[in-house]
Amino acid sequence: MSIATGQVQGVGQSLLRPDGTLKVTGEFAYSSDLWLDGMLWGATLRSPHPSAWIRSIDVGPALAMPGVFAVLTHQDVPGVKFYGLEHKDQPVLAIDQVRYQGEPVALVAADHPETARRAADAIVVGYELREAVTDPRQAAFDPACPQVNPHGNVVRHQPVRVGDRFTADVVVTAEYEVGMQDQAFLGPESGLAVPAEDGGVDLYVATQWLHVDQDQVAPCLGLPKEKVRLTLAGVGGAFGAREDLSMQIHASMLALRTGKPIKIVYGREESFFGHVHRHPAWMRYEHGATADGMLVYVRAEIVLDGGAYTSSSPAVVGNAASLGVGPYEVDNVWIDAYGTYTNNPPCGAMRGFGAVQACFAYESQMDRLAEACGLSPVEIRIRNAVSQGSRLATGQVVDTPAPLAGMLRELAAMPLPGPGSTDLRALPGGVAQTTHGEGVRRGIGYGVGIKNICFSEGFDDYSTARVRVELLGGEPHVLVHTAAAEVGQGLIMVKSQIARTELGIDRVTIVPADTTVGSAGSSSASRQSYVTGGAVKAACEAVRERLDKLRAGGASLAEVLAAGPVEETREYRHRPTFPMDPVTGQGDSHTQLALCVHRAVVDVDVELGLVKVVELAAVQDVGRIMNPLALEGQIHGGTAQGLGLALMEEIQVRDGKVLNPSFTDYLIPTILDMPPMRLSILENPDPHAPYGLRGAGEPPTLSSTPAIAAAVRNATGLALARVPIRPDDIALAGSALAG
Amino acid sequence: MHDITLYVNGIPREVSVPARRLLSDCLRHDLGLTGTHVGCEHGVCGACTVLLDGEPVRSCLTFAVTVAGREITTVEGLATDGRPSPVQRAFAECHGLQCGFCTPGFLCTTTAFLRENPAPTEEEVLEGISGNLCRCTGYQNIIKSVHRAAELLAEEPT
């Protein structure tokens, strides 16, 4: 390892991952790698139907199989039978009915995973099928539609109402759709539940938020929280998919029933059914502007399909509504954002969280408006760009730097890639190309995104850090303990860098995350560097203050620490936020806003409908660069997921059933799909945040999708109002154009 | 059950497996070598890639009994005397990983690729490792890691 010695590697430097060596040697223990002698394997029987009554469950054939230790149904749930992030409406195991394909119905524990799987298949469930509600707009607006949820089919309706002028010289109107995207982390859901002597359970899982898991698991087990202890196991990616529970309660139930450790590992197919997805969206937008391209008004209707249970749909709707016009100044806004219940797969958190869907629509609208006004895509965005002091559609004033116009100018001035090569490998479709590229056209497009950082709308969003300085082998050493989930993003480095910077000690150990320290909140909403970073900073400052007092008489650090360790625990909260008004949508609902802009250059074979992204350039303002290498990795990765949504990623659902639950049929970008990136990272500090930093993980996922879609439109001249853009959308529509 | 011997990371390992036991499951469960990861179970993602007599194969598409008597190298076998190999060091140094779940597969693929082609061009790198999926990095730092690994390998005493 090349970590510099004798020099504190603090904030702003490219400290290498402390877990990097274990991850390259294969020693890092992911949740799927955990093993205890004598453990059993759990398996989950899931509904094959999107909507059905359960008339009977016969577990007899499964229980009779050799090697099977337990078969459980909802009748065996020891405590509360429902859980959920925002509403506790999801049954631990289906009770008398199933509301989506893949809903868990029964559990098996057996001495071998194959036995457990076969036993689950041997359970006989008597289903009585009923019609599935699969059209979210019908679910929301047709009073005759069956109710999927006892509270009605609308999870949340959030309006935004500002101004009263809804006429303009130039008006563009269109409908847009975003398909259902999967987080597609590479390490499927898994974990180990170990029954404890005190009647509780120790749970080792890959999750994004240990304490919210604990809050949901304990009541369902009928246990007090202190008897459900969670430790973070190695996490193979998250991207929102681990915010909801998967196997946590199930494994714990089996462990408590059998008295043995239970391991559950989902396969890839089960993973597609075992977590929530990005809400598919239907959106109708109308933009009005003056002839010179100044926005007068925006009207929008946004329908987000949340599927069968609530998950985090209410907050997703809030984001779509509050950020629904994007980072543009506009005085008159009329938005209605809805989340619906249907019998489609449940949807919830995924990187970008409600802001992604709206961004595709409002950015597509800005391009239409540019064309209608005879302006360039860059110019119309610059003319309407927010800046510090601007008022958002919610009435919230942008009170920190927001140099969008400058970011766009910088992006537009970046050099463009050279003309496409005639090498077959460089053509759209690569070596699968069947032509010599006669139909290839180049296109350029721009996208702008604005994302709220941290939890919004009045949520008590905080993190806790315990920092201890002690002598180890005669040398001062820092221990940093938080419950924050390292999911790959590199928080483990940022915490270490903050401790080094604040304490000037370069021997720092990050203690494994568990529930013996206070909540850190979720590793989502791009919030951990901000909130857990803030907590680590505050705890380090408190330790430093005590050390300074102890050393006031001139004692050395080692002398002071010889008397014993110095430890402090601190909670950190960001500025409070406030709920959106339920009628007008007004309110200071966000604590921090982050901007990213993308330029995409694509080559499109208009005859074959194949797209090759040639280059992606981005400008992002991160306030303060904490770790350049890790930050660039976040922007690259977020951009790639936006590329996936633009061109290839969609869970295809027909009549409530998933058609493509595998990596053969659900496509994520490969190294040949992802082009080289050109980055410019700005540091305009947010004075309210630790070190002035801005959350950075999500913004690039917003803006890359509309930039690529715009580039494909630019190359083809097609309207392309839906992502992912499929080859058919281009080739079939484009045959006239190519001829 | 079939009694077979696999030469895993240079060590003969005797194991008794059913005919349909996958090499990935055999390595992970029977031999306790959990560094080989299973991401999709059908040969798409490449996380389970190991070297079979030096050639990269998908261990999730290989029955253990079909490789009896063969040399298998997993990520645990890439280091020499506890020192990570140049390919391993390059991925750590260039931030060529985030969650790291795909990394063992990339390391095995890259190790074999650079043995065949020690000084690859940009295009050759892309093609050489295009059979492995990564969801976190957007691949940019993985590309850098492969080039860096080539440099480090060139510096290694032979």
Side-chain angles (χ1 to χ4, degrees):
Chain A
M1 300 291 292
S2 63
I3 294 177
T5 51
Q7 184 188 352
V8 170
Q9 291 269 302
V11 166
Q13 293 174 290
S14 284
L15 177 74
L16 295 180
R17 301 187 68 99
D19 57 1
T21 300
L22 291 177
K23 285 179 173 178
V24 298
T25 56
E27 293 166 274
F28 187 81
Y30 292 88
S31 52
S32 46
D33 300 335
L34 305 175
W35 194 279
L36 277 180
D37 287 339
M39 73 183 187
L40 302 176
W41 294 77
T44 314
L45 175 67
R46 294 173 183 274
S47 168
H49 308 297
S51 181
W53 296 109
I54 295 176
R55 296 306 185 197
S56 62
I57 302 179
D58 181 3
V59 302
L63 268 176
M65 291 173 67
V68 172
F69 283 68
V71 182
L72 308 181
T73 69
H74 73 88
Q75 292 178 325
D76 303 296
V77 177
V80 179
K81 290 177 189 262
F82 297 86
Y83 71 95
L85 282 172
E86 296 202 26
H87 298 318
K88 300 202 181 307
D89 65 348
Q90 186 149 2
V92 174
L93 292 167
I95 304 171
D96 302 335
Q97 60 178 316
V98 288
R99 294 187 176 88
Y100 72 97
Q101 183 202 20
E103 181 157 358
V105 174
L107 305 170
V108 174
D111 58 5
H112 193 277
E114 289 158 22
T115 310
R117 195 69 259 158
R118 288 203 183 99
D121 291 342
I123 297 168
V124 183
V125 183
Y127 291 106
E128 181 185 324
L129 303 195
R130 57 188 187 195
E131 194 187 342
V133 175
T134 58
D135 179 340
R137 284 193 290 157
Q138 189 197 9
F141 307 128
D142 179 356
C145 183
Q147 301 290 293
V148 174
N149 188 286
H151 307 294
N153 285 344
V154 175
V155 186
R156 178 178 179 183
H157 167 215
Q158 179 59 57
V160 179
R161 302 281 186 266
V162 186
D164 54 9
R165 184 179 162 201
F166 291 93
T167 57
D169 293 341
V170 182
V171 175
V172 293
T173 306
E175 292 180 6
Y176 299 95
E177 283 182 53
V178 174
M180 184 186 291
Q181 190 179 18
D182 189 62
Q183 299 85 349
F185 49 51
L186 279 197
E189 293 86 344
S190 48
L192 183 67
V194 185
E197 283 184 3
D198 66 354
V201 64
D202 291 289
L203 197 47
Y204 301 84
V205 286
T207 180
Q208 290 177 230
W209 187 356
L210 289 165
H211 285 79
V212 86
D213 284 10
Q214 185 186 40
D215 288 345
Q216 294 173 91
V217 173
C220 295
L221 299 177
L223 290 171
K225 269 203 292 188
E226 60 272 18
K227 287 199 175 181
V228 179
R229 296 162 291 260
L230 282 86
T231 302
L232 188 71
V235 183
F239 317 118
R242 299 190 205 269
E243 198 154 271
D244 290 77
L245 295 179
S246 57
M247 46 57 69
Q248 286 89 330
I249 302 173
H250 297 161
S252 301
M253 281 173 60
L254 291 168
L256 293 174
R257 175 61 73 96
T258 61
K260 290 174 181 294
I262 299 289
K263 179 167 175 172
I264 292 184
V265 180
Y266 292 177
R268 179 56 53 186
E269 182 177 354
E270 186 169 19
S271 178
F272 273 98
F273 296 103
H275 62 250
V276 298
H277 313 291
R278 187 190 299 292
H279 291 69
W282 175 92
M283 298 169 284
R284 183 185 182 279
Y285 267 74
E286 180 178 310
H287 277 55
T290 62
D292 58 356
M294 302 303 293
L295 283 173
V296 175
Y297 73 89
V298 175
R299 296 178 78 109
E301 186 182 349
I302 301 168
V303 179
L304 298 152
D305 185 0
Y309 295 104
T310 306
S311 179
S312 49
S313 285
V316 169
V317 171
N319 274 7
S322 62
L323 303 172
V325 301
Y328 301 113
E329 289 196 335
V330 52
D331 292 334
N332 305 283
V333 177
W334 184 289
I335 293 175
D336 288 290
Y338 302 88
T340 66
Y341 292 112
T342 64
N343 294 116
N344 290 322
C347 290
M350 181 175 172
R351 196 175 195 166
F353 201 79
V356 161
Q357 295 91 332
C359 182
F360 170 64
Y362 65 67
E363 283 301 276
S364 300
Q365 283 289 93
M366 293 306 280
D367 287 337
R368 278 177 187 260
L369 203 55
E371 198 177 343
C373 296
L375 295 171
S376 76
V378 173
E379 180 57 28
I380 198 155
R381 287 171 168 85
I382 288 174
R383 287 191 186 183
N384 292 285
V386 294
S387 56
Q388 187 163 2
S390 295
R391 192 174 291 276
L392 300 176
T394 54
Q396 179 162 9
V397 174
V398 178
D399 63 354
T400 61
L404 179 56
M407 292 166 72
L408 281 161
R409 286 191 189 97
E410 182 175 351
L411 182 69
M414 283 184 177
L416 283 162
S421 147
T422 51
D423 184 338
L424 205 57
R425 289 175 300 183
L427 290 177
V431 291
Q433 253 286 2
T434 53
T435 77
H436 296 95
E438 298 87 344
V440 174
R441 314 270 168 87
R442 178 154 288 189
I444 300 173
Y446 292 86
V448 168
I450 182 168
K451 179 67 184 55
N452 55 319
I453 305 301
C454 302
F455 282 21
S456 295
E457 292 196 76
F459 192 88
D460 181 24
D461 194 15
Y462 71 97
S463 180
T464 316
R466 184 181 297 156
V467 171
R468 175 186 175 100
V469 178
E470 62 190 345
L471 287 183
L472 286 180
E475 294 284 337
H477 196 105
V478 188
L479 288 177
V480 179
H481 191 184
T482 79
E486 168 61 51
V487 297
Q489 80 277 47
L491 179 67
I492 188 171
M493 287 174 286
V494 171
K495 289 193 289 191
S496 183
Q497 290 173 274
I498 290 173
R500 288 159 193 245
T501 295
E502 296 303 324
L503 295 167
I505 300 170
D506 64 2
R507 289 164 44 130
V508 178
T509 299
I510 304 298
V511 178
D514 59 28
T515 49
T516 65
V517 64
S519 175
S522 183
S523 289
S524 58
S526 307
R527 64 179 282 290
Q528 286 294 23
S529 291
Y530 189 137
V531 188
T532 292
V536 172
K537 182 169 185 278
C540 286
E541 285 165 351
V543 166
R544 195 177 63 211
E545 204 172 301
R546 271 184 58 195
L547 288 171
D548 287 349
K549 275 185 195 155
L550 292 167
R551 294 176 64 187
S556 76
L557 184 58
E559 285 164 354
V560 165
L561 292 174
V566 173
E567 177 180 300
E568 290 290 343
T569 302
R570 286 292 181 275
E571 282 183 2
Y572 177 84
R573 283 174 168 75
H574 57 69
R575 284 192 292 170
T577 58
F578 301 90
M580 297 173 76
D581 183 279
V583 177
T584 66
Q586 299 301 290
D588 291 347
S589 61
H590 302 309
T591 200
Q592 187 182 60
L593 294 156
L595 294 167
C596 183
V597 298
H598 269 91
R599 182 187 69 196
V601 178
V602 303
D603 282 341
V604 183
D605 190 315
V606 297
E607 294 172 301
L608 298 174
L610 300 171
V611 178
K612 180 183 177 68
V613 184
V614 176
E615 189 205 70
L616 285 163
V619 181
Q620 185 170 345
D621 189 352
V622 301
R624 173 76 187 270
I625 299 172
M626 300 296 282
N627 182 314
L629 262 182
L631 172 66
E632 288 172 10
Q634 283 294 302
I635 300 174
H636 297 151
T639 299
Q641 292 182 2
L643 181 154
L645 179 60
L647 295 175
M648 61 187 75
E649 292 187 36
E650 182 175 7
I651 295 184
Q652 295 173 42
V653 182
R654 189 179 301 151
D655 301 328
K657 290 194 173 186
V658 176
L659 304 181
N660 57 338
S662 77
F663 278 173
T664 306
D665 298 314
Y666 183 90
L667 305 180
I668 66 175
T670 71
I671 203 164
L672 294 173
D673 298 310
M674 185 62 194
M677 283 202 72
R678 198 185 287 278
L679 297 186
S680 170
I681 299 172
L682 309 182
E683 294 185 279
N684 292 290
D686 175 351
H688 306 286
Y691 306 104
L693 71 82
R694 273 194 184 76
E698 291 171 290
T701 308
L702 271 64
S703 45
S704 70
T705 304
I708 292 165
V712 177
R713 288 187 199 114
N714 182 240
T716 61
L718 298 170
L720 301 172
R722 185 184 195 282
V723 285
I725 297 168
R726 297 158 294 202
D728 305 16
D729 298 332
I730 299 167
L732 299 186
S735 52
L737 164 142
Chain B
M1 298 294 272
H2 300 262
D3 296 322
I4 56 172
T5 303
L6 304 177
Y7 294 85
V8 183
N9 302 327
I11 300 165
R13 303 289 297 266
E14 287 171 13
V15 60
S16 185
V17 291
R20 297 179 65 81
R21 176 71 41 88
L22 296 168
L23 178 58
S24 52
D25 287 341
C26 177
L27 291 169
R28 290 176 52 80
H29 298 176
D30 297 309
L31 300 179
L33 293 168
T34 53
T36 299
H37 298 151
V38 180
C40 74
E41 310 109 36
H42 57 262
V44 178
C45 78
C48 70
T49 304
V50 298
L51 301 178
L52 177 64
D53 295 332
E55 292 298 315
V57 297
R58 306 293 213 224
S59 63
C60 79
L61 295 182
T62 307
F63 290 129
V65 290
T66 65
V67 296
R70 313 269 299 269
E71 292 274 355
I72 294 153
T73 308
T74 69
V75 66
E76 290 95 340
L78 296 179
T80 308
D81 300 329
R83 176 171 157 81
S85 74
V87 177
Q88 290 174 305
R89 280 182 273 137
F91 273 70
E93 184 186 311
C94 300
H95 202 75
L97 61 89
Q98 289 179 30
C99 88
F101 198 85
C102 69
T103 307
F106 271 101
L107 296 173
C108 287
T109 301
T110 302
T111 299
F113 169 68
L114 292 177
R115 194 185 296 132
E116 292 262 308
N117 185 351
T121 64
E122 184 80 14
E123 285 73 23
E124 287 166 346
V125 167
L126 296 184
E127 215 162 288
I129 56 174
S130 62
N132 290 64
L133 294 178
C134 171
R135 188 55 160 169
C136 297
T137 64
Y139 301 105
Q140 309 292 300
N141 289 343
I142 290 179
I143 298 167
K144 282 184 206 154
S145 302
V146 176
H147 287 294
R148 178 67 182 143
E151 284 174 18
L152 290 174
L153 279 163
E155 291 165 10
E156 287 279 291
T158 46

